[in-house]
Amino acid sequence: MTNRKPLSRNPLSLALTSALLFSAALPAFAQDASATEDTAQAKAKATDLSTVTVTGSRIGRDVFNSVSPVQVITREETTLAGFQSTAGILQGTAVTAGAAQINNAYGGYVTNGGPGANTVGLRGLGPTRTLVLMNGRRIAPAGARGSVGAADLNVLPNVIVDRIEVLKDGASSVYGSDAVAGVINLITRNKIDGVELEARHTATDGGGGEERRYSIVFGQTGDRGHFSGSYEYYNRDELTLGDRDWSSCNTDYRRRAGGAGNWGDADFVDPLTGKPKCYPITGTGSNGVTINTIGTNLLPGIPAAGANGTTFDRWRPNSSVSTGLVGFEGVGRLSQLNNNIRDTFDPRTLNRSMISGAETHTLFLQGGLDLNAMGNAEAYFEFLGSRRESEQTGYRQLSLDYLRGSPLIPANLQSSNFGGGVGVRAFIGYGNDKSSQTVDFFKGTAGVRGELGANWNYDAFISHSRSDADYTMQSFLTDRLSQSLRVVSDGAGGFRCTDPSNGCVAAPALTSAVIAGQLPQAWKDFVFVPVVGNTLFTETTANFTVDGPLFSLPYGDVRGAFGAEWRRAKIDDTPSIHSINNNLYNLTSSTPTRGTDAVREVFGEIEVPVLSGVVGAEELTLNASARWTDYNSYGSDETYKLGGLWTPVQGVSLRVSYGTSYRAPQLFEQFLGATSGFLSNQNDPCNNWGNDPGTPLATNCAAEGLSPDYYATQSVSVINGGGAAAGLKAETSKNFTAGIVLQPEMPGWFGDLSFAADYFSIEVENGVSRAGGANILDLCYNSPSFRAGGGFCRLVDARNPVNNQLTVYDSYVNLAIDKVRGYDFTVRYTRDIGPGTLRANAQVTHFTEQSSKLFSDDPLVDYNGNLNTPEYSGTLDVTYSWNKWRFRYGLEWVDAMQSYDYYGLDPATSVYKFHVPSYFTHALSTEYSADKWTVTAGVRNLRNETPPMISSGAYNRVGNAPLYSGYDYVGRTYFMNVGYKF
């Protein structure tokens, strides 16, 4: 990894020093056997799902009888299931219900948090609308680049986590504005005595993507205090496209017109090999690169095998050609750029990362000291520190423009005029490049909690988080490329730069070897360099809460919780100076992202026991919470939530809740620095506008002087940015949940059964989003008033008079309406069978709607059941415990999906495969626990299920599979976990 920081800047080393000082003083607290026994009893209680206090209220309930639906996942369950990390658990189907997540497979894409970040979003509403907590306190965003706005799961500890509580309900009035879709709360083991060592290893069936984790947990408990912590080292090998057969040969994967034949029958067959071309260039979703060719003006020549015509402007070296353009064969013309004949597959393409490599160090410390004052108060602290070093491998094409008349151009091409002062453009397969990130994160918390009188409690804390990331990529520098191409003879048969400053190295002369990617190392070192940016994100929080009984009613105490919170966040992303100056050749430019915001909040919650133990109401409890929020940037608003739990008879409960939220835009949504990007030239609305005569589109394109058969040769430039300057507003939402819980008393021979069914409905209004460059262009060019009418045409610059290129400005605005509805079903069954106990848990989520629209006059489009948005998903977990043994079978299921209806295609005749079958993965594992050591071993994806295949055209793909986190790209894996307690 690159760009390591000096040890003095590493928060882990500073925290470790503090921990050693603290632990040195701890033995002064006399430890006794009762403390150890209490700790063991507390741990046993924490993992009992029938009694655990759950997230979603500051007034605790148990899992099945909580007002809001909550899922609890224990550490024992995740270890037996073979998960290597907290990120893997939270992004699994059991938590996400099939909603797509940003995981390690997105290293080559532009995502919030930067490459290597892992985030989680519930209900398909994105990570900025899901709140992640640890011990009830929020985890601040972390990551690289300007769009840092959500918690990076890589920073979370693993081995010291006791359980994870997932609230599948909005809770903005309880926890804050970003708890729109739900809340995830990690609860750590608290009082630990002794030392525990643990080692995990995952081996993959096909190699690549293997994982290792080594950890230590330590702690000591005394009469007046306790201290504990963990340190973990994690390493994941890179998984490349070439490591798996199903990703080694991407094709268009289509069938013939009318639906004839099999999938893949219509794929282009390379005349050179007689086989379908892997990783072609078609502009329809394939992801190869054009290499080993040159571009010229239209010249006569000899066609390559499969090419048509006698004149060409794309050529491939062929030493046997002695007529026409000597040494080259014609492979295409501008009007035939998508025929794939010109493309050459480079095996180095398969070195690209499918799963990025990573290495993390995580240190977590916690402790408390009884003060014997301030109401039996305890002073406590927490420290979380991590360093992530991640890396991705890419592939780079170099389009090298040789100036017209340059001595670097051979004699037979001196007459070429490619255009714009360029004589010949060489499309060179440059090879693999690297991107890397080093993210240092720490979060420190200090607080005091104690009693106010006999029955009231208080908790006051302050915390500070800091994410400091360096991100590095390799790039060609535009100015150095231009400098190196301006040469004169050096008098010795070679060339030198006319401007020798900066150690300029002359570009190589145009030859077949150069076109094939054989480039002088000295020149590569001059033009292709690492560029580094830095992202700093800080967040400070101060919180004060009190809770206790307000007054008594006939059926119990009315309890309340009240508090106030202040938060301040700051982002400072400084890209490389070359990126700021738009000096990265054929890559986006970025300007700094800088901004701050602060919020003051006051909140309260009450729970009222209306009835209890009477006919028709074994329990009737009402809960209400409210929060007043005041942002520096967006002013103030109020949110509330009302809920109730009614148990008419023993074993049957009904629950319902309704709440609102008010989410101010994240800092990057407000202040993102202008970032340039590109859309394919095929997104130009005026391409072949003559096919749509009489339409506003045809009229508008003709008004720009474009011919009816116009076809864009330049990509569309898209400038992205934050929306604060354009008046971006906060978004609001409504959340409704209703459910039934059945816990019938069954005969002893049957066992224990619990069932919960919950309906959920979330609607986000005035949502913060970007319209998208393609949408802006369509709305502008299809408008009858066009540029005279303003509207979205105000976001589109006039065409470049030289090459007709379009530039679109796509900043964050208040556009979207997102709506999700559906049902969650949960079943839990336990029964003693033979000498042991059988336990089964099943969860199924059924979405009935996943819809959105960008503009107020747009129709609401329902994506439910389309590719990457499953209608159904589910998990099954069956364990059998006997003596010191446990055995597990696990199942994860994502329902079949299809997008034919959305695109208006007939599946019987469509040339595209836009459907996938149901996807199942199975897991088996076993665990043996002795007095001091535990061994767990198993296999995930038992049948080595590969992701399903779809055609290119509308979806990003990995190989021929959809880019979707619900599929397992790694394949069958074997895992082993060994733990030892001292």
Side-chain angles (χ1 to χ4, degrees):
M1 301 296 174
T2 57
N3 299 304
R4 294 180 181 269
K5 296 181 180 177
L7 186 61
S8 60
R9 293 181 61 192
N10 190 342
L12 300 185
S13 62
L14 298 178
L16 188 56
T17 301
S18 301
L20 292 173
L21 295 174
F22 187 92
S23 60
L26 197 58
F29 306 139
Q31 181 181 348
D32 57 25
S34 63
T36 304
E37 182 178 353
D38 291 343
T39 301
Q41 293 174 352
K43 178 180 178 181
K45 183 176 181 180
T47 56
D48 182 351
L49 295 187
S50 64
T51 60
V52 68
T53 299
V54 297
T55 299
S57 169
R58 298 181 186 273
I59 304 168
R61 307 281 301 188
D62 66 46
V63 177
F64 271 87
N65 283 332
S66 60
V67 173
S68 297
V70 176
Q71 176 185 358
V72 177
I73 305 170
T74 67
R75 167 172 161 73
E76 289 77 11
E77 292 170 337
T78 60
T79 300
L80 191 58
F83 284 106
Q84 275 279 12
S85 65
T86 303
I89 300 163
L90 296 180
Q91 293 180 330
T93 304
V95 173
T96 64
Q101 308 297 319
I102 300 299
N103 60 14
N104 299 308
Y106 284 77
Y109 294 83
V110 178
T111 58
N112 294 343
N118 284 251
T119 57
V120 60
L122 299 176
R123 305 298 192 200
L125 292 175
T128 59
R129 295 172 180 155
T130 297
L131 179 61
V132 179
L133 308 172
M134 188 169 69
N135 295 326
R137 294 176 281 272
R138 63 178 53 229
I139 299 294
R145 301 185 180 270
S147 297
V148 173
D152 181 4
L153 305 181
N154 292 297
V155 310
L156 299 175
N158 300 273
V159 70
I160 203 169
V161 173
D162 180 65
R163 66 187 186 274
I164 300 171
E165 301 171 355
V166 183
L167 172 68
K168 298 182 176 181
D169 191 7
S172 291
S173 59
V174 179
Y175 292 109
S177 63
D178 39 4
V180 175
V183 180
I184 296 171
N185 189 11
L186 282 73
I187 309 298
T188 61
R189 292 187 281 166
N190 194 355
K191 296 181 180 180
I192 300 170
D193 281 285
V195 177
E196 302 175 16
L197 300 178
E198 187 172 281
R200 301 189 192 186
H201 188 272
T202 297
T204 62
D205 206 41
E210 297 192 349
E211 299 173 275
R212 304 152 204 86
R213 182 180 298 279
Y214 307 102
S215 58
I216 180 172
V217 177
F218 46 87
Q220 191 169 2
T221 303
D223 286 340
R224 286 189 55 202
H226 61 92
F227 167 75
S228 58
S230 65
Y231 167 76
E232 303 171 67
Y233 168 79
Y234 169 77
N235 178 274
R236 180 181 63 245
D237 295 340
E238 178 186 49
L239 179 71
T240 69
L241 293 172
D243 285 334
R244 297 292 180 267
D245 291 341
W246 60 266
S247 59
S248 294
C249 186
N250 162 297
T251 68
D252 285 332
Y253 200 60
R254 300 175 186 173
R255 60 185 178 184
R256 296 188 180 95
N262 298 317
W263 300 113
D265 285 353
D267 291 342
F268 178 79
V269 175
D270 191 342
L272 297 179
T273 65
K275 298 179 180 179
K277 179 165 288 187
C278 297
Y279 290 89
I281 298 292
T282 63
T284 54
S286 300
N287 52 7
V289 288
T290 301
I291 60 171
N292 293 354
T293 56
I294 62 171
T296 67
N297 59 314
L298 207 59
L299 299 172
I302 303 299
N308 299 315
T310 58
T311 57
F312 307 91
D313 54 19
R314 296 294 185 273
W315 307 84
R316 183 167 57 203
N318 186 340
S319 60
S320 66
V321 175
S322 58
T323 61
L325 186 59
V326 176
F328 292 88
E329 58 184 9
V331 292
R333 293 188 297 274
L334 183 61
S335 59
Q336 297 178 329
L337 286 185
N338 293 335
N339 63 9
N340 284 314
I341 294 171
R342 75 191 194 285
D343 303 329
T344 303
F345 173 68
D346 189 335
R348 293 176 295 179
T349 297
L350 300 182
N351 295 333
R352 290 185 296 178
S353 299
M354 181 157 52
I355 302 291
S356 61
E359 182 179 277
T360 63
H361 301 263
T362 307
L363 177 66
F364 177 72
L365 304 172
Q366 60 186 352
L369 177 65
D370 294 337
L371 300 179
N372 292 331
M374 300 173 61
N376 295 319
E378 177 191 49
Y380 65 91
F381 83 96
E382 284 183 0
F383 176 86
L384 172 63
S386 76
R387 163 169 281 198
R388 165 169 63 93
E389 297 179 343
S390 49
E391 186 175 81
Q392 300 81 37
T393 302
Y395 182 87
R396 189 66 60 86
Q397 175 221 52
L398 171 61
S399 298
L400 191 58
D401 288 343
Y402 285 88
L403 302 177
R404 191 175 185 193
S406 170
L408 299 173
I409 300 176
N412 64 331
L413 286 170
Q414 280 290 339
S415 62
S416 173
N417 182 9
F418 185 78
V422 177
V424 178
R425 173 170 290 173
F427 299 97
I428 300 169
Y430 188 81
N432 298 119
D433 63 316
K434 296 286 187 179
S435 298
S436 63
Q437 306 79 39
T438 300
V439 183
D440 285 330
F441 174 86
F442 82 85
K443 176 179 183 288
T445 301
V448 178
R449 52 192 167 210
E451 300 172 355
L452 291 174
N455 298 309
W456 279 76
N457 303 304
Y458 71 90
D459 188 350
F461 71 86
I462 185 169
S463 70
H464 180 72
S465 299
R466 177 185 175 96
S467 171
D468 189 356
D470 287 338
Y471 52 94
T472 304
M473 62 182 295
Q474 293 175 295
S475 177
F476 299 102
L477 300 185
T478 303
D479 59 354
R480 291 194 179 187
L481 280 173
S482 176
Q483 184 183 5
S484 74
L485 287 163
R486 300 182 183 278
V487 301
V488 295
S489 172
D490 64 1
F495 302 94
R496 60 177 177 82
C497 301
T498 57
D499 176 8
S501 63
N502 303 324
C504 179
V505 177
L510 181 63
T511 64
S512 296
V514 166
I515 298 170
Q518 300 175 31
L519 303 167
Q521 188 62 47
W523 179 75
K524 291 167 62 175
D525 292 341
F526 176 68
V527 299
F528 193 65
V529 301
V531 293
V532 182
N534 177 265
T535 306
L536 181 65
F537 192 103
T538 60
E539 183 174 274
T540 303
T541 302
N543 179 287
F544 178 77
T545 307
V546 296
D547 68 274
L550 295 170
F551 53 88
S552 295
L553 291 179
Y555 297 99
D557 292 336
V558 175
R559 298 182 61 83
F562 308 93
E565 183 168 290
W566 172 84
R567 296 192 308 275
R568 182 180 186 273
K570 177 181 180 180
I571 190 172
D572 186 344
D573 174 65
T574 305
S576 161
I577 189 63
H578 298 295
S579 180
I580 295 173
N581 292 338
N582 196 21
N583 194 33
L584 304 181
Y585 186 63
N586 277 349
L587 291 177
T588 61
S589 65
S590 301
T591 58
T593 298
R594 296 188 177 114
T596 61
D597 203 358
V599 58
R600 296 172 294 278
E601 298 180 297
V602 178
F603 53 88
E605 179 184 5
I606 60 171
E607 188 161 281
V608 182
V610 180
L611 295 171
S612 179
V614 301
V615 176
E618 289 292 327
E619 178 182 359
L620 177 59
T621 301
L622 301 180
N623 182 280
S625 57
R627 179 176 291 249
W628 175 78
T629 301
D630 183 17
Y631 280 92
N632 286 357
S633 55
Y634 289 96
S636 62
D637 202 352
E638 301 83 30
T639 59
Y640 65 89
K641 185 176 181 180
L642 304 173
L645 178 72
W646 175 39
T647 304
V649 295
Q650 190 70 34
V652 179
S653 297
L654 303 174
R655 58 191 180 194
V656 64
S657 67
Y658 177 84
T660 63
S661 73
Y662 169 79
R663 187 184 79 89
Q666 293 285 344
L667 291 179
F668 76 90
E669 293 170 328
Q670 299 181 51
F671 304 113
L672 182 66
T675 302
S676 66
F678 302 96
L679 289 172
S680 166
N681 59 314
Q682 297 188 57
N683 286 277
D684 191 319
C686 290
N687 287 336
N688 297 314
W689 63 263
N691 295 332
D692 301 299
T695 63
L697 172 67
T699 301
N700 297 335
C701 294
E704 292 191 319
L706 304 176
S707 62
D709 61 349
Y710 167 78
Y711 198 87
T713 60
Q714 301 292 322
S715 59
V716 178
S717 177
V718 181
I719 309 298
N720 302 314
L728 186 66
K729 300 177 182 178
E731 66 180 29
T732 59
S733 69
K734 296 174 288 187
N735 190 313
F736 175 76
T737 303
I740 182 171
V741 180
L742 303 178
Q743 295 176 295
E745 288 193 16
M746 310 298 291
W749 60 265
F750 183 84
D752 295 326
L753 176 69
S754 298
F755 171 80
D758 292 283
Y759 169 80
F760 59 87
S761 176
I762 305 174
E763 182 173 348
V764 179
E765 298 177 337
N766 208 34
V768 177
S769 182
R770 290 190 300 205
N775 284 322
I776 293 172
L777 287 172
D778 285 341
L779 288 165
C780 171
Y781 275 84
N782 284 284
S783 170
S785 55
F786 196 36
R787 296 187 183 277
F792 283 95
C793 286
R794 290 176 296 185
L795 304 176
V796 182
D797 275 353
R799 289 182 181 270
N800 185 307
V802 176
N803 56 20
N804 285 319
Q805 184 179 33
L806 286 168
T807 298
V808 182
Y809 295 88
D810 183 21
S811 299
Y812 283 97
V813 292
N814 294 103
L815 295 172
I817 291 179
D818 294 298
K819 189 174 183 180
V820 294
R821 294 186 297 126
Y823 299 88
D824 286 327
F825 302 96
T826 305
V827 179
R828 183 180 69 199
Y829 175 72
T830 59
R831 185 181 188 277
D832 291 335
I833 297 179
T837 301
L838 176 73
R839 182 182 185 122
N841 289 281
Q843 297 182 71
V844 173
T845 295
H846 172 209
F847 281 99
T848 58
E849 180 180 0
Q850 298 181 74
S851 59
S852 65
K853 64 178 180 178
L854 284 177
F855 307 102
S856 59
D857 54 353
D858 283 346
L860 199 63
V861 179
D862 191 355
Y863 299 94
N864 195 37
N866 282 7
L867 295 179
N868 300 351
T869 52
E871 184 177 352
Y872 288 91
S873 66
T875 61
L876 173 65
D877 190 291
V878 180
T879 59
Y880 183 76
S881 303
W882 167 59
N883 198 3
K884 297 181 179 181
W885 291 89
R886 286 201 302 163
F887 305 91
R888 176 188 182 268
Y889 165 75
L891 170 70
E892 295 189 11
W893 163 57
V894 176
D895 193 22
M897 297 172 274
Q898 61 88 12
S899 295
Y900 292 113
D901 296 340
Y902 175 75
Y903 288 106
L905 300 174
D906 183 350
T909 60
S910 175
V911 301
Y912 300 100
K913 185 180 187 296
F914 282 165
H915 68 272
V916 295
S918 290
Y919 183 77
F920 297 90
T921 58
H922 309 263
L924 290 175
S925 59
T926 185
E927 180 180 275
Y928 179 81
S929 299
D931 292 338
K932 291 188 176 182
W933 55 272
T934 302
V935 176
T936 308
V939 57
R940 290 181 59 83
N941 195 349
L942 180 66
R943 299 179 59 189
N944 201 23
E945 297 288 348
T946 59
M949 297 195 292
I950 63 171
S951 301
S952 65
Y955 293 89
N956 290 320
R957 299 188 301 166
V958 178
N960 289 342
L963 177 63
Y964 168 58
S965 61
Y967 297 138
D968 181 3
Y969 296 150
V970 178
R972 183 188 294 122
T973 57
Y974 308 91
F975 64 89
M976 176 172 284
N977 187 90
V978 179
Y980 186 84
K981 299 179 180 179
F982 293 91

